[in-house]
Amino acid sequence: MRKLLLLSILGALIAGLATFVGWAERRPPSHYLSDLRSELSTDAGTPGASGNLLLIRPQLFPVDYQSPAHLRLKLAAALDRARAAGLLSPQTLVVLPEHIGTWLIAAGEKTELYQARDRQEVRDWMLLGNPLLAVQVLMQNLDAERLDEALLRMKARRMAADYQQLFSGLAREYRVNLLAGSILLPLPHLENGQLAIGDGPLRTVSLAFGPDGQVLGELYSEAWPQPHDRREPQRLHIGERELLIERDWQPGYPQSRVLTANGEQVSEPLYLRGKLSWPVGGAPRRVELTPVEMQRGQAPGSQLLNLWIAPQ
């Protein structure tokens, strides 16, 4: 009798576990609703053969990262607006904000994750939606910050592939040079023109792509979290022009600026808009991913900031 009872309990536990695993792995289709509006906020300089800088401040929310296709739709809407305004050409450099790629960690997760209010809820739903992955990381008895890092490392290979496929595809489709913003990955490096990862420390990495979709110039990376000391800017060559990209967290959020090599032209600051918390730990508490204060009183949707480059 006791043996039969134990077998019944064991059977119930196995059935319950199988039911949970089935639920955790299920990704039912859901409707994607997002604001695809965009506006040309600034258009400075005089059109000419030297081309232009087009900075995009996309307004992004967790649901925009449900799949790379969703994020592409949001960015393509802004690029379509720019193309209609005559702002895209092979001499254009489109620039996207810092850490636009880091939320790709959330791609393909359960619907509930995209309604999360903070990093704790993001972490919880990621663990619930990936039970085998959860067992691996929980057995390591990690604190919250190291748990975030372990989750990112386990999804990093897919994140790197999604990042390159998405942004190289946009550069090729719209026939522009595109600085793809950044993504947080473990020991990022290039292998035969493809973004790859390693077993080393987390680093923030950014790639640029030419109108043919191929990697343009060298991979640029920096330590995570961002060091406080001033660093050399990224140097990017578009034809005969050299452009410098400076990055910092000084205002309390990640921002970047693009400068001409002679320093005579400086773009407006570029940053993410919308409502995204950091999906991983490591950033100081004072540093927001999407600054609330900078968005007060602004119209919804993505912002386009265009700067025509003066002849050398």
Side-chain angles (χ1 to χ4, degrees):
M1 184 69 180
R2 181 178 297 176
K3 185 176 181 180
L4 181 61
L5 178 60
L6 289 175
L7 288 174
S8 299
I9 293 174
L10 180 60
L13 288 174
I14 292 174
L17 180 60
T19 300
F20 169 73
V21 171
W23 170 85
E25 294 181 346
R26 193 176 303 124
R27 301 292 190 267
S30 59
H31 295 290
Y32 172 59
L33 297 175
S34 190
D35 191 342
L36 300 181
R37 288 176 292 179
S38 60
E39 64 170 359
L40 182 59
S41 300
T42 61
D43 187 10
T46 303
S50 297
N52 60 309
L53 299 175
L54 180 67
L55 282 64
I56 301 179
R57 293 177 184 159
Q59 187 179 43
L60 298 174
F61 301 90
V63 70
D64 293 314
Y65 287 88
Q66 193 167 14
S67 76
H70 287 180
L71 182 57
R72 184 205 168 280
L73 185 64
K74 196 69 169 278
L75 298 175
L79 289 168
D80 286 341
R81 173 73 174 82
R83 182 162 57 186
L87 300 178
L88 300 185
S89 78
Q91 286 73 48
T92 300
L93 175 63
V94 175
V95 188
L96 297 173
E98 291 296 281
H99 288 285
I100 191 172
T102 300
W103 254 86
L104 286 170
I105 190 176
E109 293 297 332
K110 295 189 72 64
T111 304
E112 291 84 354
L113 181 145
Y114 308 106
Q115 302 163 10
R117 294 168 294 182
D118 53 37
R119 192 170 75 242
Q120 175 67 52
E121 291 189 8
V122 169
R123 183 190 307 125
D124 291 346
W125 280 110
M126 196 169 294
L127 290 171
L128 285 171
N130 300 273
L132 297 180
L133 182 152
V135 170
Q136 294 179 49
V137 297
L138 292 176
M139 287 179 64
Q140 299 176 43
N141 193 28
L142 304 175
D143 59 30
E145 191 167 304
R146 292 176 62 207
L147 177 57
D148 288 342
E149 181 176 331
L151 289 169
L152 184 144
R153 287 179 182 276
M154 291 182 181
K155 299 194 72 174
R157 195 175 306 279
R158 180 73 261 170
M159 291 170 63
D162 287 343
Y163 173 91
Q164 181 152 2
Q165 183 177 4
L166 170 62
F167 295 116
S168 68
L170 287 172
R172 184 169 52 250
E173 178 179 349
Y174 288 90
R175 301 295 300 166
V176 295
N177 303 285
L178 188 145
L179 181 60
S182 60
I183 183 172
L184 185 63
L185 293 171
L187 197 63
H189 59 282
L190 286 175
E191 290 183 2
N192 299 319
Q194 299 297 310
L195 181 59
I197 62 167
D199 295 326
L202 296 184
R203 294 186 66 85
T204 302
V205 61
S206 179
L207 288 178
F209 300 95
D212 58 357
Q214 298 300 307
V215 174
L216 186 66
E218 300 294 325
L219 174 148
Y220 178 85
S221 74
E222 57 190 20
W224 170 261
Q226 190 184 65
H228 295 291
D229 57 321
R230 190 173 182 82
R231 288 148 297 112
E232 283 294 314
Q234 179 180 3
R235 296 179 179 272
L236 190 61
H237 289 86
I238 308 295
E240 297 181 355
R241 292 172 288 140
E242 182 182 45
L243 300 171
L244 310 180
I245 298 91
E246 294 184 340
R247 299 169 168 86
D248 65 74
W249 288 2
Q250 293 302 318
Y253 51 87
Q255 69 168 5
S256 58
R257 282 188 175 86
V258 184
L259 301 78
T260 53
N262 56 18
E264 292 182 357
Q265 289 183 286
V266 182
S267 75
E268 294 189 47
L270 180 61
Y271 50 85
L272 279 171
R273 301 177 69 246
K275 190 175 182 181
L276 295 171
S277 60
W278 288 102
V280 295
R285 290 183 179 274
R286 63 175 180 81
V287 177
E288 301 175 283
L289 183 55
T290 50
V292 175
E293 192 61 36
M294 295 298 294
Q295 301 181 67
R296 296 190 191 281
Q298 294 184 353
S302 299
Q303 295 178 343
L304 306 178
L305 301 93
N306 186 61
L307 174 63
W308 293 99
I309 300 175
Q312 294 182 345

Short mmCIF file of all heavy atoms in Angstrom, two decimals, residues 149 254 311:
data_model
loop_
_atom_site.label_atom_id
_atom_site.label_comp_id
_atom_site.label_asym_id
_atom_site.label_seq_id
_atom_site.Cartn_x
_atom_site.Cartn_y
_atom_site.Cartn_z
N GLU A 149 23.91 38.27 -15.16
CA GLU A 149 25.02 38.04 -16.08
C GLU A 149 25.00 36.62 -16.63
O GLU A 149 25.25 36.39 -17.82
CB GLU A 149 26.35 38.31 -15.38
CG GLU A 149 27.56 38.13 -16.28
CD GLU A 149 28.86 38.50 -15.60
OE1 GLU A 149 28.85 39.36 -14.71
OE2 GLU A 149 29.90 37.91 -15.98
N PRO A 254 22.98 56.67 -20.75
CA PRO A 254 23.94 56.52 -21.85
C PRO A 254 23.60 57.47 -23.00
O PRO A 254 22.45 57.52 -23.45
CB PRO A 254 23.77 55.06 -22.29
CG PRO A 254 23.07 54.39 -21.15
CD PRO A 254 22.22 55.44 -20.52
N PRO A 311 31.18 70.72 -46.58
CA PRO A 311 32.35 70.27 -47.36
C PRO A 311 33.64 70.53 -46.59
O PRO A 311 33.75 71.50 -45.83
CB PRO A 311 32.28 71.13 -48.63
CG PRO A 311 30.86 71.59 -48.71
CD PRO A 311 30.39 71.74 -47.30
#
